[in-house]
Structures are given as structure tokens and as C-alpha cells.
Amino acid sequence: MATEPLLTLEHVSVSAGGRKLVDNVSFELPRGKLIALIGPNGAGKTTLLRAILGLMKHEGRVQINGRIGYVPQRLQYDRTLPMNVMEFMALTLQKRPVAFGVASRVKRRVLELLDAVGAKKLARAHLGGLSGGELQRVMLASALQDQPELLLLDEPAAGVDIEGEATFNDLITQQVREHNATAVLVSHDLSVVSDLTDQVVCLNQSLKCIGDAKDLLTAERIAEVFGGHKAVYGHHHHH
Amino acid sequence: MFDVIANYFTNDWQLPILLSVVCVSIASGVLSPIVISSRMAFFSDAVAHSTLAGVALGLLLGLGNPVITMVLMGVMVALIIASLRQFTTLALDTLLGVAMAGSLAAGFLLYEYQKGYADLHSYLFGQPSLLGWMDFWMVAFNAAISLLVIMLFSNRFLLLAVSRPLAQARRIPVARYEFLLIVLLGLVVSLSVRAVGLLMVNALLIVPAAASRNVARSVRGMFIGSIVVAVVSGLTGLFAGDFLGLAPAPAIVVTAVICFIVSQVLRPFVGHHVAEA
């Protein structure tokens, strides 16, 4: 059904150690949109993502009507592990142990995925030698392997220079427009919001605002959000 | 030297020794990349040290061959450490240190009480020359299980080693795989103790992949290199030890460490580039 929302959250709360990290959040996201989920550090954005991904115990209901892809926040990993990008991608694409080599069918698929994010030349590169921007492209290519309808990107701007960030955002926008996917870009600053953003969701434990980017992103609003978190607390836009 | 090697193929009693060393080498060579990548080195060492308590327990129960209690103790200590890790705020190295020292000391006391120092040496440093066909079948089982687990699960173990959160997001039951790896290591370590000794077994799980990681540029290269280092060290150590009249297991470990040093020297020339970040 085309009208059915892609993602529905109903009264989602997450607690840890007696503290509410996410408090009674409800919203719906449609298909084919570029969404910015913003909130200050510690606002529970990553926690909410993890609840959506089913990795965290939560109250309330999360319903996803589609496949999901996830690009984690700046990945900390063992950079000394001798693994090339092709092998990393193949880990989740083939049953045969990557230690025995990558199947030619999988090689073609990996090159296709890397090509889609403009990183075909990285196929033979060592995973531990990638720059921040390159790693993100690889993670995006990896997240695209199941042709996700909902793409969750945690702090995609972290560790990427401005120029790299612009092209990365273009890549995501392209995915959204070409495959009718919805991408959620999560960030603690407004840098993820571009003129291509369709909808903005503000989170600080509870939902602080949600709406069209055009309406929410007036000069005054931007000043409020950049000016301090108090302004963000003050707005309750339940729908 | 050639006579020494030829004897292993012609003497009936030496053949199981040769084959056992090959099997132990294959098992450790195959698992080594996973042990190193998953940072389980200290863990497998703790399991190895606990096997002496298993031996002593077997003697106490009057078992002629205490292999069963040894393996049970190894796997049990592995499980205890794995579950304690969930419920304690202690750092893992602290927990392992306590488990290792505690089980070795208790095992030694129990052993000494029954047998004094007799045969203790062979449990600590291994005694390949005592291995028979029964021992061979055990380590062959060991090698088979290790190969099977690598065939079935190595992709997941590797993804877990790259990043736990990423593996979780891919819906991989992370805890279940960690548990599996722990039980497997407990089993493999305890089954290898008779051949290479509890003080030496862990070196065989660490050194091969430590060496191959230095020079490999891919996962495939890391596994191939690790198996090659393990088997070459196993055979070289066995033959050279025999030829020179030295204890085989320490000779195997020393050979492996020499491979590691060579790989460390070669690293700047053939290894991969690692980003600073």
C-alpha cells in the first residue's frame, strides 16, 4: 500500500539504569523522503535508532514496513585486521567463508554496490587504510546490499570533510529519489539539513518538533536551534 | 636429520605422533586468525591453565586417562568465565587473571597431593613422544571441529571482530556466536594440551596469525599464512627437537616465534597500509 507509512513509532520509550533516554516518542515517516533527525549530544538519537533497529529493549510500538539499512556512527574497528573492502562486503553477501575467497557472483555484486556510491576503485583497498569519507561510502554501499527502503545514517557527517560530506549527501539523495527509499540522517547539528531535506524531526529525550523542512527551517528557527537547546525544548509540535 | 624424519613414516609408534602434531597445527592455524581478531588470546590461555585441575580431578576419581575430566574442566572454566563476564563489572583481564592463577594453583595442589611431580612436566610442556592412536583421534576430531566451525561461521566471527554494533545491526545473534567461540576454544585448547602442554598450547593459537597478519593483505592471506606457519612450525619443531634431543613442544613454539620475528621484519615491505585515525 502506497499510503501506508514506512515507519511508525507509537509511544516509544527507552530506559537504562533508571534514566529515561527516550521518552514517549511517536511519529510516522512516509516513503521516498529525506529526513533529518536532529538533537543535541545525549538527546537519545542513537538510542532511538537502536530501538528502531530492534537492538534495544523499548516500550511502545515500532513498525517498519520494509527492509532496513544502517550506516553506523563513525565506526571504531580494528584497523590492523588484514581485510580488503571486497572481503568486508562479501562477509554478509556469501555463505562460503571469505577465507576461501570471494565468489565471482559476489565480486560482481560488490563492484556494483561500490560503483553506486562512487567507490569502485576501493574494492581492493585495505579496510584499515580508508579515510573517514571513504569508510562512509563503503558503509553506505554495505547498507545498500539488501536494497533497503529505510536507510538509517547515524552522524553521517562525523569525520568527513565538508566537500566529502556534500557528495555523500548527494549520494543519499540519489538513493532516495531513484529507489523511493526514505533516508534518516541523524546528527547533533544542523549540518545534515540541506535544501534537499524534506522533513525535520527534533529529539531531546522526547519529540520536540516534527514537520516540513521548509516550514521549520526559517531563519528564526535556525537561530533558535543554533542559539541553544532551551529554544528547542520550548517547542512542542505534536501531530 | 633425514633418518629422523623418515622414522616417523616407517615406525608404527611414531606415525600417530607425526599425524597428531599435524592435526594440532591445523586446528590452531585455522583458529588463530579468529582468536587474534576477536581478542581471545588471554582467554584461551586461562582455559589452558585450568586443564591441570581437570587432570588432577581425573586422577582423584581414579580415571586411568584423565582426558575426559581435562576437557570437561577446560570447557567448564570457559563457560564460567563467559557467564561471569556478563554479571560482573570487573575488567576482563582481571577476571581472566584470577581464573588462570586460581585454577592453575588449585590444579597443582591437587595434582601434587596425588602424584608429586611425576609426569607434571609432560602436562606443562607436552610430551608428543607419548602420543598414541587414541590421542591422534582426539586431535583429529579437534582439527575437524575447527575446520567445520570455520567453514560455517567464520564470516560472522570476522564481522563481529570488525565491529560488534555492525554485526548486531545485521541481525547476527552476537551473544550466541561469542558463546560458540568460547566453547569451541575451551574444547580445542583442552584437547591439544596432551600434545603440546598447557604452557605452550596458547602460543600455537596466537603466534601463527600474529605472524601472518604482519604480511597478509587479505583475510584469505591471513588464514593461509596462519595455517602454513602453524604446520611448518609443528613439523620443524617436532623433527628438530627429535634430532637435537630437545623437548618438541617448546621447539615448535620457538620455531613459530621465529616465523613471527621474520614477518615483523618483512612487514614494512609487504604489509598493508594502516590509516592513522
Side-chain angles (χ1 to χ4, degrees):
Chain A
M1 263 166 56
T3 51
E4 168 185 71
L6 178 60
L7 172 71
T8 309
L9 301 187
E10 278 174 17
H11 309 293
V12 172
S13 294
V14 182
S15 307
R19 215 164 61 89
K20 276 236 154 120
L21 302 176
V22 170
D23 189 11
N24 196 20
V25 169
S26 305
F27 60 83
E28 289 178 352
L29 297 181
R31 285 169 197 273
K33 300 284 181 199
L34 189 60
I35 317 265
L37 171 61
I38 56 174
N41 280 321
K45 304 183 296 295
T46 299
T47 307
L48 184 62
L49 275 200
R50 290 176 59 81
I52 294 172
L53 285 162
L55 303 177
M56 216 156 182
K57 243 177 79 181
H58 60 265
E59 295 161 42
R61 197 169 73 97
V62 174
Q63 196 185 334
I64 309 161
N65 296 310
R67 289 178 301 277
I68 197 164
Y70 170 57
V71 177
Q73 202 177 128
R74 198 178 178 180
L75 194 65
Q76 296 292 322
Y77 64 103
D78 179 4
R79 284 180 177 268
T80 63
L81 185 68
M83 181 185 283
N84 61 45
V85 169
M86 173 66 77
E87 289 179 319
F88 168 72
M89 299 273 293
L91 285 180
T92 44
L93 283 167
Q94 66 176 31
K95 283 222 164 74
R96 186 216 285 197
V98 167
F100 293 179
V102 178
S104 46
R105 170 188 62 83
V106 174
K107 273 185 191 158
R108 282 195 299 276
R109 177 81 179 119
V110 170
L111 289 175
E112 208 176 278
L113 287 164
L114 288 174
D115 199 26
V117 299
K120 203 171 173 180
K121 65 177 195 318
L122 293 178
R124 291 284 153 207
H126 174 231
L127 194 67
L130 300 181
S131 72
E134 288 170 337
L135 180 63
Q136 263 190 351
R137 280 166 192 260
V138 171
M139 287 301 152
L140 179 61
S142 173
L144 293 177
Q145 69 175 50
D146 301 321
Q147 292 160 314
E149 291 153 282
L150 177 64
L151 194 53
L152 303 174
L153 301 106
D154 199 357
E155 299 282 357
V160 186
D161 49 276
I162 299 293
E163 200 184 322
E165 190 188 313
T167 43
F168 191 70
N169 286 349
D170 291 344
L171 281 172
I172 293 158
T173 312
Q174 192 188 335
Q175 284 301 321
V176 169
R177 302 289 180 250
E178 281 178 14
H179 301 287
N180 197 33
T182 283
V184 181
L185 286 87
V186 178
S187 184
H188 65 277
D189 63 37
L190 277 170
S191 72
V192 294
V193 183
S194 70
D195 47 359
L196 298 166
T197 309
D198 298 305
Q199 221 179 74
V200 176
V201 179
C202 322
L203 183 78
N204 197 349
Q205 270 80 59
S206 58
L207 190 69
K208 297 302 177 191
C209 69
I210 182 164
D212 284 355
K214 286 187 295 292
D215 303 342
L216 280 171
L217 290 178
T218 60
E220 184 194 326
R221 276 290 161 73
I222 290 172
E224 279 174 5
V225 178
F226 273 118
H229 304 139
K230 258 189 182 155
V232 182
Y233 283 118
H235 289 271
H236 273 272
H237 286 251
H238 284 295
H239 69 137
Chain B
M1 181 77 187
F2 283 114
D3 300 348
V4 167
I5 298 172
N7 284 343
Y8 279 95
F9 293 94
T10 49
N11 284 348
D12 278 354
W13 66 274
Q14 278 187 307
L15 193 59
I17 298 172
L18 177 72
L19 295 178
S20 299
V21 167
V22 170
C23 285
V24 168
S25 301
I26 289 176
S28 49
V30 160
L31 286 179
S32 182
I34 300 292
V35 172
I36 295 271
S37 307
S38 317
R39 299 180 186 275
M40 298 287 261
F42 204 26
F43 171 82
S44 53
D45 209 19
V47 171
H49 281 72
S50 72
T51 53
L52 187 63
V55 170
L57 191 67
L59 294 173
L60 193 69
L61 295 173
L63 301 178
N65 188 347
V67 166
I68 296 171
T69 45
M70 192 167 85
V71 173
L72 283 179
M73 183 65 85
V75 174
M76 197 180 76
V77 166
L79 291 176
I80 289 174
I81 296 171
S83 43
L84 275 181
R85 206 173 68 162
Q86 313 262 329
F87 303 111
T88 174
T89 51
L90 285 175
L92 187 59
D93 53 353
T94 309
L95 184 63
L96 290 173
V98 172
M100 191 154 100
S103 60
L104 182 64
F108 179 75
L109 288 179
L110 201 56
Y111 189 92
E112 193 192 23
Y113 172 71
Q114 296 173 90
K115 287 191 82 172
Y117 291 99
D119 296 336
L120 184 62
H121 187 268
S122 76
Y123 286 109
L124 296 182
F125 295 100
Q127 196 59 280
S129 58
L130 296 179
L131 297 176
W133 285 110
M134 182 63 207
D135 299 294
F136 162 71
W137 288 116
M138 280 180 352
V139 289
F141 170 76
N142 214 358
I145 289 277
S146 308
L147 282 169
L148 185 71
V149 169
I150 290 301
M151 296 274 285
L152 293 176
F153 306 119
S154 62
N155 286 356
R156 285 164 174 217
F157 286 140
L158 285 168
L159 185 64
L160 247 171
V162 172
S163 163
R164 203 169 186 268
L166 200 63
Q168 281 178 321
R170 284 290 160 75
R171 305 244 177 270
I172 289 174
V174 168
R176 218 177 295 167
Y177 277 93
E178 285 172 341
F179 183 78
L180 174 69
L181 186 57
I182 283 168
V183 173
L184 177 71
L185 276 179
L187 194 66
V188 168
V189 165
S190 7
L191 282 172
S192 305
V193 162
R194 249 178 80 81
V196 288
L198 65 89
L199 293 180
M200 296 290 117
V201 63
N202 202 46
L204 282 186
L205 280 173
I206 297 169
V207 184
S212 72
R213 276 173 71 117
N214 271 338
V215 289
R217 289 156 177 263
S218 62
V219 167
R220 195 177 175 199
M222 170 173 67
F223 272 90
I224 292 172
S226 171
I227 296 169
V228 168
V229 169
V231 173
V232 166
S233 311
L235 294 179
T236 310
L238 180 66
F239 297 149
D242 200 351
F243 185 66
L244 301 170
L246 302 171
I252 291 171
V253 172
V254 168
T255 314
V257 170
I258 291 172
C259 293
F260 172 76
I261 294 170
V262 170
S263 75
Q264 191 74 24
V265 172
L266 291 176
R267 181 180 185 155
F269 307 106
V270 292
H272 50 70
H273 165 72
V274 176
E276 293 295 313

